[in-house]
Amino acid sequence: MSYQAPVKDMLFNIQHLAGLETLTHQVPAFADFGLDTAGAVLEECAKLTQDVIAPLNFEGDKNPSSWKDGVVTTTPGFKQAFRAYAEGGWQGLVHPTEFGGQGAPKTIAAACAEMLQAANMSFALCPLLTDGAVEALLTAGSDVQKATFIPKLLDGSWTGTMNLTEPQAGSDLALVRTRAEPQPDGSYKIFGTKIFITYGEHDMAENIVHLVLARVAGAPEGVKGISLFLVPKFLVNADGSLGARNDAHCVSIEHKMGIKASPTAVLQFGDGTAAMCANGAGPGAVGQLIGQENRGLEYMFIMMNAARYGVGLQGVAIADRAYQKAAAYAKDRVQSRPVDGSVAGSAAIIHHPDVRRMLMTMRSLTEGCRAMASTAAAAFDAAHHHPDAEARKQNQAFYDFMVPLVKGYSTEMSLEVTSLGVQVHGGMGFIEETGAAQYYRDAKILTIYEGTTAIQANDLVGRKTARDGGQLARGIAGQIEVTEAALAKRDSAAARAVLKALRASREDFLAVVDFIAASAKASPNAAYAGSVPYLMLAGNLVAGWQLARALMVAEDALATDKAFMEAKITTARFYAEHILPRTASLRAAIVDGADSVTELSLDAF
Amino acid sequence: MSYQAPVKDMLFNIQHLAGLETLTHQVPAFADFGLDTAGAVLEECAKLTQDVIAPLNFEGDKNPSSWKDGVVTTTPGFKQAFRAYAEGGWQGLVHPTEFGGQGAPKTIAAACAEMLQAANMSFALCPLLTDGAVEALLTAGSDVQKATFIPKLLDGSWTGTMNLTEPQAGSDLALVRTRAEPQPDGSYKIFGTKIFITYGEHDMAENIVHLVLARVAGAPEGVKGISLFLVPKFLVNADGSLGARNDAHCVSIEHKMGIKASPTAVLQFGDGTAAMCANGAGPGAVGQLIGQENRGLEYMFIMMNAARYGVGLQGVAIADRAYQKAAAYAKDRVQSRPVDGSVAGSAAIIHHPDVRRMLMTMRSLTEGCRAMASTAAAAFDAAHHHPDAEARKQNQAFYDFMVPLVKGYSTEMSLEVTSLGVQVHGGMGFIEETGAAQYYRDAKILTIYEGTTAIQANDLVGRKTARDGGQLARGIAGQIEVTEAALAKRDSAAARAVLKALRASREDFLAVVDFIAASAKASPNAAYAGSVPYLMLAGNLVAGWQLARALMVAEDALATDKAFMEAKITTARFYAEHILPRTASLRAAIVDGADSVTELSLDAF
């Protein structure tokens, strides 16, 4: 088995940390999504991802998507796997029933998304992007647009893309130059080049729905003059059937370090050559406006926030995959005697303390980030569906704070975990046939796309912390104190160890929140110099907090499943003793070290 | 310019931290290697590495070495570059003049080695391995062996390899199975398979001198029954001319994540087929014993210690290369407005605090590790050449303590730095054509080969710390206190900041040394659970210490080269404020967290 979905751990989180039963009682629409359903859904998803999709992961690295004359051929087997995925109804899992979705809570769907990403990140990017396109249409699309496009996206006939980046416009979307020319019939002609378009061209579906940021002539400068357009690969007739090929073409795909099976396209919209204008209407890609002009960035952010959470799950997913592989190797590979003399001769390397330290680091980081993501998903569901407006508002605020942590911290941690994964394998880890190296290469994109870690950290500092003077952040610290109080009532060694570390890290967090809130306006360079360390501190703390909650559940449920609960307790304690203390050094760097970040003169670099 | 050798920084270290002038005054053999000579040698080496060798680095990644029918063809250009390297006399730089070397101190040669590695790590591995073979022959070879082989290795006619690893024997050399059968003429026939043999086959030299670990029949079990053999690719006649092809053949090379241009061979010694036995003497590779039977591991460790230091330099080298590329990109790439409003519109990303933080992290780690390596090299020179026996002994002890830090810490830090290097490039960093990804892929081998970080850490815990009860380690802490006392006499903000951080880290170090010394025998799992964190703490501290010394030199020398000295001060301060504080979390994990490392039951993994 190349991948074993961690169904038990996911259900533990869903039940005990995310509180699914509370949600299903409060939200009538979720009444059918109780724990039993969750269990059944996860088991079904585990089968598909383990048996059908995971085996294609290594294959995709060896035989990546290829481009020829504008046509992209995906890895052998991807097309069939995508069919199985679509026919299982998985693309619609979290989306509204009125368009053919299943209307499941994100609390459940997030676990399925993690499985899909763990099984095959390159493959899973296609559904991830389609999810984003559906979100954007649900938010800002017209009724006709929704009815025309969403059902086809959910049944897997078509897929979606996000077209933001241009060569000169990456993190800085104010620099977008692609232009949209209004046509007499209400449509637009799109002209421009977009790069880094994930699944911008492929052979797994009959049509591709590009969502494209562009400027209408005369629009305001900067981000306030950007609109969002829907530009299908094949035009769609009024009856939903496919029409002419649009003037939107893939001129190349990138040669990347990782996620090689995922085609990363350069798309040319309206290149003006007659041969490309099969729509017979002259050059320019035919697009339709989504929502209102000049509000494109706002809509795109909705899509991007969903995608950012999804990329955070990719971090958890690839970390778990790397952990599973490393643990299996460590149990199998025999090398050297244990230092404690517990085995007479050479033993499996899992008997060596440093191998154990690496595996526990991988495991605890993965479980911590998974727990954080699960809690965040519950907040999302409550924010969108809770009957009480105040509860919706509070959950939304909590979720908003979590998104940069789930995205930023989980992906940064995946770099550490996949690196350790190679390390556990020793020399074999560096040989591509082993497979551990692929996770290391694949993971590196995660801290970059959908907003680099620095972009997440800017969001955390600016919108999520400084804007309200640190109030929301302090509120979360207050919730952590409640957990500390509960831990203090226990007398197990594990609870005491976790309490000590959690309290110290929460105090580090508060000191940094005070620093950020105080300096964001007065000394922005100082606040933003500490932005990524602050994100890492906050993510570390919140993940550790969730594991602390898990520890208490596990202590109380020891009788129900001793081996699992004991492992959870040990993992939570390891995290508290080995990972949480990192907040001390981050605090010192942020609070004492801001000046030295920007002191060196530019000439000296 | 794809690589700019940091000659000025190297000479600063050589003069002020390594104290070259003291060495040249004390050691008559080094009298000609004063600062002027050092400067000339470094400038010459910079030219060769920048102009000839660095341009082949990316090419080697695109067009790696290839294998066909036992023949390995290296990347186009490598052969010519190796010729230029050999003809310049660089292979002999650090080796004795009596065999055609230049007899330069390691203090100077280490800087040249860093340049070569930075220019092209895949290429530079060949000279690195040859250096190791020369060391082994100097230590244990007979006079005839030395006279026959060393001059040819130094003039680049032949190259050397280290043959340790077998499929079942990686870190655990007790498991070596390759066997050596004594022949009537005093030679041996070698039979077995060796893997991961760097430059085990190639086309850059006319012969390859394999140093091979094998067991003579009847030798004791385990590492005490391993002998070292010299097995040339072509047999060497008494007059030094080449004879028959030996029965030692490359049956394949590995498909690796990085250092792709460096051929990693599987070597078959004595495969027994007649076709392979061109020496006409039946199957078996003809080898000669080096030194005495059963002392092979001892000799190999001499070679390995030289190589470990060299691999540490590879860490510094690739970190510097990654830094240079990232800094250049950050000055060039325009994206977004600075948060402090210092530029009206979009600015080069080096104006953004987090980009600056990343670059400063890369720079300070690189300079810190370079300074540590330079000081260690000076200790090596004094240990081998100082006229006073007690001084030799003390320097040897210091150097022995430094080797695992130079190897382990510098290579682990290179993972962080090369990852940040990709990150600074954003999406472009993930595209192979950019080149930043190559450093990330290449670097990952460094924490693995020549002994993984855990192997270095075992050495640090066992032989270097626990064996003398922590005495040597405390002695080094005492030297650091001397630096603290000197810092305390200064009233600059930078000196105060560095003093505060250095003192705290030194105290963390001492607490951990006490813990390791106390638990190594009583509770070996606890001591070794903290082995890698201890190595990281010690390496961090020593690199920070050397930068603290550098800061004082720079403050006193501001008038001589203001821009350089100011940059040194800022870099040292950044390291103290952002890197040194990591020791606090490492200390906590080691001292408080040992139990949770090994607590999880094996079944739970």
Side-chain angles (χ1 to χ4, degrees):
Chain A
M1 177 84 61
S2 73
Y3 169 62
Q4 181 79 51
V7 172
K8 205 184 250 193
D9 197 52
M10 289 168 163
L11 286 173
F12 175 93
N13 291 343
I14 287 171
Q15 178 176 3
H16 299 295
L17 303 183
L20 180 67
E21 282 166 314
T22 308
L23 185 73
T24 56
H25 288 138
Q26 285 166 345
V27 179
F30 290 153
D32 291 342
F33 288 99
L35 284 173
D36 288 348
T37 306
V41 170
L42 265 58
E43 288 295 351
E44 205 54 43
C45 189
K47 273 186 218 160
L48 175 75
T49 53
Q50 291 171 179
D51 300 345
V52 178
I53 298 170
L56 295 169
N57 187 50
F58 183 61
E59 184 60 28
D61 193 59
K62 271 191 305 184
N63 295 309
S65 291
S66 59
W67 179 97
K68 197 181 172 195
D69 298 336
V71 175
V72 170
T73 305
T74 54
T75 300
F78 269 38
K79 214 167 171 172
Q80 295 77 359
F82 186 70
R83 213 37 51 215
Y85 175 81
E87 282 165 9
W90 296 105
Q91 186 73 61
L93 184 61
V94 78
H95 298 297
T97 51
E98 64 179 300
F99 298 111
Q102 318 229 12
K106 192 180 184 88
T107 305
I108 294 174
C112 297
E114 185 199 316
M115 289 184 208
L116 187 68
Q117 297 294 347
N120 195 329
M121 211 164 90
S122 285
F123 175 87
L125 277 163
C126 189
L128 177 69
L129 270 294
T130 298
D131 275 340
V134 171
E135 287 290 337
L137 286 168
L138 285 170
T139 305
S142 68
D143 288 345
V144 173
Q145 285 169 338
K146 289 181 196 171
T148 308
F149 292 95
I150 296 180
K152 292 286 195 182
L153 289 167
L154 297 191
D155 73 10
S157 305
W158 305 346
T159 66
T161 69
M162 289 167 68
N163 288 247
L164 287 76
T165 306
E166 300 176 10
Q168 79 294 343
S171 298
D172 188 1
L173 292 170
L175 303 176
V176 160
R177 284 187 204 143
T178 295
R179 65 182 208 279
E181 295 181 357
Q183 304 295 306
D185 67 352
S187 71
Y188 292 75
K189 284 289 185 78
I190 312 291
F191 298 88
T193 305
K194 293 286 182 179
I195 64 169
F196 296 166
I197 309 308
T198 300
Y199 278 92
E201 179 60 40
H202 63 86
D203 57 0
M204 295 176 0
E206 59 191 27
N207 200 8
I208 302 174
V209 180
H210 303 298
L211 298 197
V212 184
L213 290 184
R215 292 182 181 286
V216 179
E221 285 288 296
V223 295
K224 290 178 180 164
I226 296 175
S227 305
L228 182 63
F229 297 90
L230 188 159
V231 185
K233 175 178 170 185
F234 288 99
L235 297 179
V236 178
N237 299 320
D239 65 355
S241 64
L242 295 186
R245 181 72 166 83
N246 207 347
D247 187 9
H249 293 271
C250 174
V251 295
S252 65
I253 61 173
E254 305 290 354
H255 173 221
K256 308 187 299 296
M257 172 160 65
I259 54 165
K260 294 185 182 184
S262 162
T264 302
V266 176
L267 290 185
Q268 185 67 44
F269 294 94
D271 81 341
T273 62
M276 291 293 193
C277 307
N279 58 350
V286 177
Q288 33 182 298
L289 184 68
I290 296 181
Q292 300 174 344
E293 277 189 11
N294 301 333
R295 291 184 63 187
L297 208 69
E298 181 188 330
Y299 308 143
M300 193 56 98
F301 261 104
I302 289 159
M303 184 167 166
M304 206 138 62
N305 265 329
R308 283 176 176 182
Y309 178 91
V311 173
L313 287 182
Q314 293 188 304
V316 178
I318 200 157
D320 191 30
R321 188 88 189 256
Y323 164 75
Q324 292 188 23
K325 190 170 187 68
Y329 184 81
K331 287 197 247 189
D332 185 58
R333 169 74 171 170
V334 172
Q335 204 76 175
S336 303
R337 292 180 200 186
V339 288
D340 64 358
S342 57
V343 177
S346 296
I349 62 171
I350 199 167
H351 288 279
H352 302 317
D354 190 64
V355 172
R356 208 71 84 83
R357 181 191 63 82
M358 290 193 278
L359 291 174
M360 287 302 298
T361 302
M362 297 170 79
R363 178 189 179 105
S364 67
L365 283 168
T366 304
E367 289 191 15
C369 287
R370 179 182 295 132
M372 174 166 71
S374 192
T375 321
F380 176 92
D381 286 327
H384 285 74
H385 300 288
H386 199 286
D388 179 58
E390 181 56 27
R392 286 201 298 277
K393 194 179 144 196
Q394 285 183 7
N395 276 287
Q396 186 65 49
F398 182 85
Y399 182 73
D400 287 345
F401 196 87
M402 288 300 120
V403 168
L405 306 190
V406 169
K407 202 286 181 182
Y409 183 67
S410 307
T411 60
E412 292 285 345
M413 93 63 197
S414 79
L415 301 187
E416 177 176 355
V417 171
T418 54
S419 177
L420 288 172
V422 174
Q423 192 72 18
V424 169
H425 286 80
M428 291 306 297
F430 201 64
I431 307 299
E432 287 291 1
E433 282 74 7
T434 306
Q438 186 188 348
Y439 306 138
Y440 183 69
R441 289 185 287 100
D442 283 357
K444 191 66 197 89
I445 192 59
L446 299 178
T447 58
I448 296 172
Y449 65 16
E450 298 301 340
T452 64
T453 307
I455 296 291
Q456 310 302 322
N458 283 353
D459 179 45
L460 183 68
V461 166
R463 279 181 288 272
K464 311 294 168 66
T465 303
R467 185 179 286 176
D468 73 356
Q471 203 182 325
L472 174 61
R474 288 192 202 96
I476 290 170
Q479 293 179 256
I480 295 172
E481 272 190 278
V482 173
T483 300
E484 289 169 29
L487 284 165
K489 290 186 188 143
R490 292 167 182 258
D491 59 2
S492 68
R496 282 199 303 275
V498 172
L499 172 59
K500 181 185 164 194
L502 189 63
R503 181 184 288 145
S505 289
R506 195 245 312 147
E507 287 169 358
D508 290 334
F509 175 71
L510 283 172
V512 170
V513 168
D514 288 346
F515 175 82
I516 298 279
S519 58
K521 280 194 180 163
S523 175
N525 276 345
Y528 287 91
S531 60
V532 168
Y534 170 44
L535 181 150
M536 294 302 289
L537 192 167
N540 186 339
L541 171 65
V542 171
W545 168 35
Q546 296 309 326
L547 287 181
R549 292 180 61 211
L551 174 133
M552 292 190 284
V553 174
E555 285 191 341
D556 296 341
L558 261 182
T560 64
D561 186 347
K562 192 155 180 292
F564 177 85
M565 298 302 167
E566 278 183 349
K568 183 58 84 179
I569 292 166
T570 300
T571 304
R573 181 176 180 171
F574 181 92
Y575 189 101
E577 291 180 340
H578 292 259
I579 313 298
L580 273 176
R582 296 177 184 179
T583 60
S585 57
L586 293 167
R587 170 187 178 169
I590 298 164
V591 174
D592 300 334
D595 290 349
S596 60
V597 172
T598 48
E599 192 179 312
L600 195 73
S601 86
L602 289 186
D603 296 340
F605 283 96
Chain B
M1 178 84 61
S2 71
Y3 169 62
Q4 181 80 49
V7 172
K8 205 186 248 192
D9 197 50
M10 289 168 163
L11 287 173
F12 176 93
N13 291 343
I14 288 172
Q15 177 174 6
H16 299 295
L17 303 183
L20 179 68
E21 282 167 314
T22 308
L23 184 73
T24 54
H25 288 138
Q26 285 166 343
V27 179
F30 291 153
D32 290 343
F33 288 98
L35 285 172
D36 287 349
T37 306
V41 169
L42 267 59
E43 286 296 351
E44 203 56 41
C45 189
K47 272 187 217 159
L48 175 75
T49 52
Q50 292 171 179
D51 299 346
V52 178
I53 298 171
L56 295 170
N57 186 50
F58 182 62
E59 184 61 28
D61 194 59
K62 271 191 306 184
N63 295 311
S65 290
S66 59
W67 178 96
K68 198 183 170 194
D69 298 336
V71 175
V72 170
T73 306
T74 54
T75 301
F78 269 38
K79 213 168 171 171
Q80 294 76 2
F82 186 69
R83 213 38 46 215
Y85 175 81
E87 283 165 7
W90 297 104
Q91 186 73 61
L93 184 61
V94 79
H95 297 298
T97 50
E98 63 179 301
F99 298 110
Q102 316 227 13
K106 193 180 185 86
T107 305
I108 294 173
C112 297
E114 185 198 316
M115 289 184 207
L116 187 68
Q117 298 293 347
N120 194 330
M121 212 165 87
S122 286
F123 175 86
L125 276 163
C126 190
L128 177 67
L129 270 294
T130 299
D131 275 338
V134 171
E135 288 290 338
L137 286 169
L138 285 171
T139 304
S142 67
D143 286 347
V144 173
Q145 285 170 338
K146 288 181 196 171
T148 308
F149 292 95
I150 297 180
K152 292 286 194 179
L153 289 167
L154 297 191
D155 74 10
S157 303
W158 303 348
T159 67
T161 70
M162 289 167 69
N163 286 248
L164 288 75
T165 306
E166 299 176 11
Q168 79 295 344
S171 298
D172 188 359
L173 292 170
L175 302 176
V176 160
R177 283 188 206 139
T178 295
R179 65 182 207 279
E181 297 180 356
Q183 303 297 306
D185 66 352
S187 72
Y188 292 75
K189 283 289 186 80
I190 312 291
F191 297 88
T193 305
K194 294 287 182 178
I195 64 170
F196 296 166
I197 309 308
T198 300
Y199 279 92
E201 181 57 43
H202 64 84
D203 59 0
M204 294 174 3
E206 60 190 30
N207 201 8
I208 302 176
V209 180
H210 302 299
L211 298 197
V212 184
L213 289 185
R215 292 182 183 287
V216 179
E221 285 287 295
V223 295
K224 289 178 180 164
I226 296 176
S227 305
L228 182 62
F229 296 90
L230 187 158
V231 185
K233 175 178 170 184
F234 288 99
L235 297 179
V236 177
N237 299 320
D239 65 353
S241 64
L242 295 187
R245 180 72 165 84
N246 208 347
D247 188 9
H249 293 272
C250 175
V251 296
S252 65
I253 61 173
E254 306 290 353
H255 174 219
K256 307 187 302 294
M257 172 161 66
I259 52 163
K260 295 185 182 185
S262 162
T264 302
V266 177
L267 290 186
Q268 184 67 44
F269 294 94
D271 81 341
T273 62
M276 290 293 193
C277 307
N279 58 349
V286 177
Q288 33 183 296
L289 182 68
I290 297 180
Q292 300 174 343
E293 278 190 10
N294 301 332
R295 291 183 64 186
L297 208 69
E298 182 189 329
Y299 308 144
M300 193 58 97
F301 261 104
I302 290 160
M303 186 167 164
M304 207 139 62
N305 265 329
R308 284 177 176 180
Y309 178 91
V311 173
L313 286 182
Q314 291 188 305
V316 178
I318 200 157
D320 190 31
R321 189 87 189 255
Y323 164 76
Q324 291 189 22
K325 190 169 186 70
Y329 185 80
K331 287 197 245 189
D332 184 60
R333 169 74 171 171
V334 172
Q335 204 76 175
S336 302
R337 291 180 201 185
V339 288
D340 65 358
S342 57
V343 177
S346 296
I349 61 172
I350 200 166
H351 288 279
H352 303 316
D354 190 65
V355 172
R356 209 70 83 85
R357 182 192 62 82
M358 292 193 278
L359 292 175
M360 287 302 297
T361 303
M362 299 171 77
R363 179 189 179 104
S364 68
L365 283 168
T366 305
E367 289 191 14
C369 286
R370 178 182 295 133
M372 175 165 70
S374 191
T375 320
F380 176 93
D381 286 326
H384 285 72
H385 301 287
H386 199 286
D388 178 58
E390 180 56 30
R392 286 201 300 275
K393 195 180 145 198
Q394 285 184 6
N395 276 288
Q396 186 65 48
F398 182 85
Y399 181 72
D400 286 345
F401 196 87
M402 288 300 119
V403 168
L405 307 189
V406 169
K407 202 287 184 182
Y409 183 68
S410 306
T411 61
E412 291 285 343
M413 94 61 196
S414 79
L415 302 186
E416 177 176 355
V417 170
T418 54
S419 177
L420 288 172
V422 175
Q423 192 71 19
V424 168
H425 287 81
M428 290 307 296
F430 202 63
I431 307 299
E432 286 292 0
E433 281 75 5
T434 305
Q438 184 188 349
Y439 306 139
Y440 184 67
R441 291 184 288 99
D442 283 356
K444 191 67 196 87
I445 193 58
L446 300 179
T447 58
I448 296 173
Y449 66 16
E450 300 299 341
T452 64
T453 307
I455 296 290
Q456 309 304 320
N458 284 353
D459 179 45
L460 183 67
V461 166
R463 278 182 286 274
K464 312 292 168 68
T465 303
R467 185 178 286 176
D468 73 355
Q471 202 183 325
L472 175 61
R474 288 192 201 96
I476 291 169
Q479 292 180 258
I480 296 173
E481 272 190 277
V482 173
T483 300
E484 289 170 30
L487 284 165
K489 291 186 186 142
R490 293 169 181 258
D491 60 1
S492 68
R496 281 200 304 274
V498 171
L499 173 59
K500 181 184 164 195
L502 189 63
R503 181 184 289 147
S505 289
R506 194 243 314 146
E507 288 168 358
D508 290 333
F509 174 71
L510 283 172
V512 170
V513 168
D514 288 346
F515 175 82
I516 297 279
S519 59
K521 280 195 180 165
S523 175
N525 276 345
Y528 286 91
S531 61
V532 168
Y534 169 45
L535 181 150
M536 294 301 289
L537 192 167
N540 186 339
L541 171 64
V542 172
W545 169 35
Q546 296 310 326
L547 287 181
R549 293 180 60 210
L551 173 133
M552 292 191 284
V553 173
E555 285 190 342
D556 296 342
L558 262 182
T560 64
D561 186 346
K562 193 155 180 294
F564 177 84
M565 298 301 167
E566 277 182 349
K568 184 57 84 179
I569 292 167
T570 301
T571 304
R573 180 176 181 170
F574 181 92
Y575 189 100
E577 290 180 339
H578 292 260
I579 313 298
L580 274 176
R582 296 176 184 181
T583 60
S585 57
L586 293 166
R587 170 187 178 169
I590 297 164
V591 174
D592 300 334
D595 291 349
S596 60
V597 172
T598 49
E599 191 179 313
L600 196 72
S601 86
L602 289 185
D603 297 341
F605 282 96

